[in-house]
Amino acid sequence: MSAHCQLTGARPGFGNNISHSHRRTSRRFDPNVQRKRYWLPSEGRYIRLTLAARAIRTVDSIGIEAAVARIRARGGKV
């Protein structure tokens, strides 16, 4: 599963681990991505979305229909 959110577009950030001796090594900051299943009443089917935890709260507040409209406006496939 790729670590990006379908609704917000959150993707991994990159940076460095810095040790006590100040040596730097590469690291990734992954978003908290979950697979969530929603009932889409307008199409009469379930959809499975890959969403960050923040996006799940957004879906709860704006509704699944508005969230799917945003995903499709970004060019995403649902």
Side-chain angles (χ1 to χ4, degrees):
M1 175 170 74
S2 64
H4 79 277
C5 175
Q6 289 179 286
L7 181 60
T8 62
R11 291 187 176 272
F14 295 89
N16 293 306
N17 283 320
I18 302 180
S19 70
H20 181 69
S21 64
H22 219 66
R23 290 180 62 104
R24 294 164 189 241
T25 54
S26 283
R27 64 159 296 175
R28 260 169 70 132
F29 295 91
D30 285 328
N32 184 8
V33 179
Q34 312 291 327
R35 295 217 1 123
K36 187 109 165 86
R37 196 175 93 150
Y38 289 100
W39 173 252
L40 194 59
S42 64
E43 298 181 15
R45 67 184 179 107
Y46 284 99
I47 57 169
R48 191 175 295 276
L49 298 175
T50 303
L51 300 172
R54 181 180 63 189
I56 292 173
R57 292 196 304 269
T58 302
V59 170
D60 290 343
S61 66
I62 67 172
I64 187 62
E65 298 289 344
V68 167
R70 283 189 194 181
I71 291 170
R72 289 180 172 150
R74 292 182 72 236
K77 183 178 172 234
V78 177

